[in-house]
Amino acid sequence: MDKMTFTSYPIILYLTFFSLPLVATLKGKGTVVLVCLLLIVHGKTLWTHRYQAFKDLVLRVKNPVGLCAVSFAAWCFLSTLWAPDMGKAFLDAARYLILIVAGLLVYGGVQHETASRKQIFFKAFYGGFLFYAVFFLVEIYIFPIATKLYINGAYFSKTLFIKGFVNFCFLFWPFLLILLQKNSKIASWKVILIPSFILMAVLLKTGPHAALFGILLGTMGALSINRFPKAPYVAAFLFTLFSLSTPWLFTKIVNQKTLGDNFHYIAGSYQHRLLMWERLGEETLKNPLIGQGFEASTTFPKGDIVRIIVKKPIFDFSSRQVTSIIANDGIDNIFSTHPHNGIVQIWVDMGFIGIILILSVLWAVTHAITRIQSPLERSCLFGFLLFYEVIHLVGFGLWQKWIGASIILSLLCFSVVKNRQCWV
């Protein structure tokens, strides 16, 4: 075991994963820094095995997932040529590509680490995730330490930790794989359900709704895939149908006009989303083939002021009729800093060609998951994919770098956890 194993390597690994509560308190900022830390600490190993690592990287790029991803990335860069702000769009695309390349390099470095260093990585993630969970439980149910220190709040702040909880939920899936491996004598469905239900119960109190729905759908997927091996293809098919119909769905079928008064009985944030998706659907249809350029969806002016009324249904037992009251009444701009829907964003930015390319990535990933030999790993990765699809569709912007960094961190943890039985 080399000297670095006893000094800087474990220090940086534990610093990376035990700093997750700080990242959560800073509204998710810092996940990119964590990826950079891991790149630095695995850089020496990567350099030592650079020829083999390069060959492995070429093989990853040449496989179906890699080829589809490279094609999509190439179209992203090409679409910057007709973006509203070409210079900014190109720089943003380049920054995101650099993040992805950093993730691939870290992955390559981790694969060539010794068993002892992988063990340190495993312990740092396992302990760091448990510490992360304890931090949230203390913050929510005992004393809001971080809330008090950061925003001087007396009570737990949902809005402060929205990104932190999403980051936690991404890392939940490789942690679930650890639980499945450690409790192999217990039925896997029990091991999946119990922590998933606990997490969903917490999310009911804290939000965000996207994370709650994502964990629910991901859990259903993780439970179903080994009994129904074609389940990932069914999910990919439904996602494809939604993706191809999105502009027409929100302009013709699901919008304020077609829903009528029922529109006001959904949460205000989702009313706002539907209003925005309808307007962006109209923008998409102006140039549906190639879109309006990379990140065009984030450059629209704030748009019209819209009134958002949230009604609360009340059942009157005496008359046996449902009445309602206005629970919230406010106004907001039609457009936000991002569309809260990755498919809408791709349609606006990169058009039908972009949609076809991103769907090719989805189908390649889906096929790769179904070919995984380990049923435990297959379950957790399918759950992870479904969770991300929910976040992708109703949560955040497609190009937010903290989301990309959270995915990279989770996949790195998967890469270490899935092989643990081989080197313990």
Side-chain angles (χ1 to χ4, degrees), residues 127-176:
F129 185 87
L130 291 175
F131 180 64
Y132 205 8
V134 170
F135 163 76
F136 276 129
L137 291 175
V138 171
E139 190 72 19
I140 298 165
Y141 297 107
I142 300 176
F143 183 74
I145 303 171
T147 305
K148 181 69 176 176
L149 292 175
Y150 191 62
I151 60 173
N152 198 30
Y155 304 98
F156 171 75
S157 171
K158 291 183 181 181
T159 56
L160 178 61
F161 294 103
I162 285 177
K163 293 181 180 179
F165 269 112
V166 172
N167 176 259
F168 180 86
C169 291
F170 273 119
L171 293 170
F172 168 77
W173 297 101
F175 179 77
L176 183 61

Side-chain angles (χ1 to χ4, degrees), residues 82-84 89 280 291-300 345 348-350:
W82 56 87
L280 288 173
Q292 299 186 31
F294 189 80
E295 287 197 333
S297 57
T298 66
T299 61
F300 291 113
Q345 194 164 6
V348 176
D349 295 356
M350 292 173 282

Side-chain angles (χ1 to χ4, degrees), residues 318-373:
S318 59
S319 63
R320 295 184 180 181
Q321 292 182 344
V322 177
T323 59
S324 65
I325 61 171
I326 295 179
N328 188 25
D329 188 355
I331 59 173
D332 209 339
N333 292 105
I334 189 71
F335 292 122
S336 181
T337 54
H338 55 80
H340 298 279
N341 186 314
I343 293 301
V344 170
Q345 194 164 6
I346 293 172
W347 266 110
V348 176
D349 295 356
M350 292 173 282
F352 178 73
I353 295 175
I355 289 293
I356 292 300
L357 291 173
I358 197 65
L359 287 175
S360 71
V361 176
L362 170 65
W363 281 95
V365 169
T366 298
H367 184 61
I369 289 175
T370 60
R371 297 182 66 186
I372 293 172
Q373 295 299 311

Side-chain angles (χ1 to χ4, degrees), residues 23 27-36 77 88-100 102-103 163 166-167 170 294-295 298 338 345 388 396-410:
V23 170
K27 299 184 179 181
K29 296 174 183 176
T31 48
V32 176
V33 175
L34 299 186
V35 172
C36 292
F77 274 96
K88 180 179 181 300
F90 183 84
L91 288 175
D92 286 345
R95 282 196 287 262
Y96 203 88
L97 179 63
I98 290 170
L99 174 63
I100 300 302
K163 293 181 180 179
V166 172
N167 176 259
F170 273 119
F294 189 80
E295 287 197 333
T298 66
H338 55 80
Q345 194 164 6
Y388 174 63
F396 299 89
L398 181 63
W399 306 116
Q400 288 181 283
K401 295 173 187 63
W402 71 271
I403 289 276
S406 294
I407 294 172
I408 289 171
L409 289 173
S410 301

